[in-house]
Amino acid sequence: MSIRTIFRPRGVLWIALVVLPAGCVVGPNYHRPSAPVPTQFTAAEGWKPAEPSEPASGTNWWTAYSDPVLDGLEQQIDISNQTLKQAEAAWRQAVAAAQAAGAGLYPTLDISADALRSHAAGGAVTTATGSPLGGSTPRSVGPKSFSLAASASWELDIWGKIRRTIESDVAIATASDADLAAARLSAQAALATDYVQLRVIDEEKHLYDETVQSYERSLQITQNQYNAGVVAKSDVITAQAQLQGTQSQQIALGVLRAQLEHAIAVLIGKPPAEFSVAEAPLGAAIPVAPTGVPSSLLERRPDIAAAERQMAAANAQIGVAIAAYFPDLTLSAADGFSGAALGGLLKTANNAWSLGGAITGTLFDFGARKYQVQGARAAYDQTVAAYRQTVLTAFQQVEDELAALRILEQQYAVAEQTLQSADEAARLTLNEYKAGTVAYTSVVTAQVTALNAALSLASIREGRLVASISLIQALGGGWSVQRLSAMPG
């Protein structure tokens, strides 16, 4: 089939080539709806953290914590995290759907070829060369026929239904790209949080190690006092109970540490049994992300970008639904050859071609199209509400973490002073016990108070670190909407 034959300027095809460039696109054009955006972050007003460390921009925000082990773990997220691989595959699927929709703007071309040999009733089946099968003699052999044909069809997008579909699918693909970024940021933040909690447990274990050693010395003191006949046996038993209870708490830390190790292993795509993190001290850095102006949050959070693209997709679907009111124009063309002999099949005498067009439309559907348009508008309204709710939630998260960092910093300063006082009280009380001026219960009370103060300080520090991670995540982790690319090159 020749291209010249199919696309010769005849009849309806010529009309279509004139009309198509002037084709309109029905339905509303997309404009991003407004969202509730404050003028400033309330929790950040009048507060400047002591010695803030600004996280690195881009995907390596975790380097602000100055921990090489954490750096190495975070880099494995993109390589082996299975949730991230799932999100990446979903993005590729959405891109493929958008590309498939784009193909609808162009004609489709089909080609077929066949050969037919028939025989009369009661006759033997013959091969393509005419020889009988199984040695039987044919009684009546019918004519042979051969054909070679090609056909093309083209649905003209006069009303923009295909273009609106492409617009919707591209928006969905872009939203999927933002979903992928959100999944990556979530996995990175989860790993950093688990890692911080694991390191705090290491600090608590070190604290228990020192406390156990201190309680062993206290037990030896009471034992010496008892051997000298100065104190009762109950002091020795009390010291033993205090030591054993602390050892039990020390051992219990192993359960949570193992669970955190397992959680980190899953995040980096490794079997928990094959992964471990050696004990190490926790870094001193408490990085705080710069908040900037609240309106910039709309460009820095991938979940907000995804919700905005979902609105664009739903808006385009309104146009698709409205286009159903208008008739569809389809052009068709066919060219081919048919003859009784394969040789000379492509002669002009065997040529047959056709060219035409069809207009199809619905005259009456009991309101189905009207309800479809109403449903599309309702779906769009849902995405608008979801977008605005996502924006509100984002501002809530930023305010929450800013408030947490500000309050926890104040609490940490008080807790440090509390620990110093508790340690001094425990030291003085033990000396008074040695001098025989106080009962051993006073020593136990002072030592327990000092231990609880140290554990409380570690817990507050953990809270500050986790809040800093959550703030970085709430601010988008250095991501920006300019990173979106719906269609790969």
Side-chain angles (χ1 to χ4, degrees):
M1 177 186 65
S2 66
I3 298 298
R4 180 182 60 81
T5 301
I6 291 182
F7 292 103
R8 62 184 64 173
R10 294 173 181 261
V12 71
L13 180 59
W14 175 253
I15 296 173
L17 293 176
V18 174
V19 171
L20 184 58
C24 63
V25 179
V26 298
N29 293 324
Y30 174 72
H31 300 284
R32 184 170 69 178
S34 62
V37 179
T39 57
Q40 63 182 3
F41 291 108
T42 303
E45 185 178 3
W47 170 63
K48 185 178 185 299
E51 299 181 0
S53 175
E54 181 178 333
S57 62
T59 56
N60 295 334
W61 55 265
W62 57 84
T63 57
Y65 292 88
S66 304
D67 191 312
V69 177
L70 177 61
D71 292 347
L73 293 173
E74 290 284 2
Q75 291 170 5
Q76 297 181 54
I77 289 285
D78 279 343
I79 300 173
S80 304
N81 183 272
Q82 298 305 308
T83 300
L84 197 59
K85 288 183 179 294
Q86 181 181 356
E88 190 273 337
W91 170 72
R92 286 188 285 109
Q93 181 183 16
V95 169
Q99 292 172 325
L105 288 173
Y106 305 98
T108 59
L109 179 65
D110 299 313
I111 189 169
S112 64
D114 64 72
L116 178 65
R117 182 72 180 270
S118 62
H119 65 88
V125 178
T126 62
T127 65
T129 60
S131 60
L133 291 175
S136 61
T137 301
R139 298 180 182 178
S140 175
V141 178
K144 303 176 184 178
S145 66
F146 300 90
S147 66
L148 176 64
S151 62
S153 63
W154 188 12
E155 181 181 351
L156 302 182
D157 191 32
I158 297 177
W159 315 112
K161 181 175 73 173
I162 297 177
R163 279 168 285 172
R164 288 299 191 194
T165 300
I166 295 171
E167 180 184 339
S168 176
D169 287 348
V170 169
I172 290 174
T174 313
S176 183
D177 192 8
D179 288 337
L180 173 59
R184 177 182 290 107
L185 180 59
S186 177
Q188 292 169 347
L191 190 150
T193 299
D194 289 344
Y195 182 81
V196 164
Q197 292 174 339
L198 184 142
R199 287 304 183 214
V200 169
I201 289 178
D202 288 345
E203 280 197 352
E204 290 178 348
K205 183 178 181 300
H206 178 69
L207 175 62
Y208 275 112
D209 289 342
E210 292 181 340
T211 302
V212 165
Q213 293 176 4
S214 175
Y215 287 179
E216 287 175 341
R217 290 193 295 269
S218 297
L219 174 60
Q220 186 61 51
I221 292 172
T222 58
Q223 185 67 53
N224 294 339
Q225 296 279 65
Y226 171 71
N227 293 338
V230 176
V231 300
K233 180 68 173 178
S234 60
D235 285 0
V236 177
I237 297 174
T238 300
Q240 288 176 337
Q242 183 185 29
L243 172 61
Q244 292 165 352
T246 305
Q247 289 172 330
S248 175
Q249 293 174 332
Q250 179 187 39
I251 295 171
L253 290 176
V255 176
L256 183 55
R257 193 183 194 282
Q259 292 173 344
L260 290 169
E261 271 189 340
H262 300 162
I264 293 173
V266 171
L267 284 169
I268 62 175
K270 291 186 177 181
E274 300 176 4
F275 176 80
S276 64
V277 179
E279 290 186 17
L282 183 63
I286 307 288
V288 177
T291 55
V293 295
S295 60
S296 67
L297 196 65
L298 303 184
E299 306 296 325
R300 288 158 54 183
R301 294 233 339 185
D303 58 340
I304 292 179
E308 188 273 332
R309 288 290 82 200
Q310 290 292 346
M311 283 193 301
N315 182 80
Q317 285 299 319
I318 298 175
V320 174
I322 293 175
Y325 279 105
F326 302 94
D328 295 329
L329 174 60
T330 303
L331 302 181
S332 61
D335 195 4
F337 299 87
S338 178
L342 185 59
L345 178 64
L346 302 182
K347 292 180 178 179
T348 303
N350 295 329
N351 178 244
W353 62 270
S354 65
L355 185 66
I359 297 178
T360 58
T362 303
L363 293 178
F364 191 65
D365 60 1
F366 296 92
R369 287 170 295 179
K370 179 182 71 173
Y371 299 134
Q372 288 170 353
V373 173
Q374 290 178 355
R377 292 188 185 278
Y380 171 73
D381 291 341
Q382 291 181 53
T383 61
V384 172
Y387 168 72
R388 289 172 173 163
Q389 183 62 39
T390 302
V391 172
L392 286 171
T393 300
F395 286 120
Q396 176 194 356
Q397 291 172 348
V398 173
E399 293 283 3
D400 285 349
E401 303 312 328
L402 284 172
L405 283 168
R406 174 174 54 82
I407 295 170
L408 287 173
E409 183 183 9
Q410 298 170 359
Q411 185 183 8
Y412 189 84
V414 175
E416 278 187 313
Q417 296 175 355
T418 302
L419 178 58
Q420 293 175 2
S421 299
D423 284 341
E424 181 66 12
R427 186 184 66 82
L428 293 175
T429 304
L430 183 59
N431 290 337
E432 291 172 355
Y433 174 74
K434 293 177 182 178
T437 59
V438 298
Y440 191 72
T441 53
S442 298
V443 176
V444 172
T445 301
Q447 289 177 334
V448 169
T449 300
L451 175 60
N452 288 338
L455 292 173
S456 177
L457 188 66
S459 177
I460 296 170
R461 188 171 177 221
E462 175 186 345
R464 294 179 67 195
L465 284 164
V466 171
S468 72
I469 294 169
S470 298
L471 177 60
I472 294 172
Q473 182 182 10
L475 292 171
W479 184 88
S480 67
V481 73
Q482 286 74 23
R483 293 171 181 262
L484 288 179
S485 56
M487 309 295 285

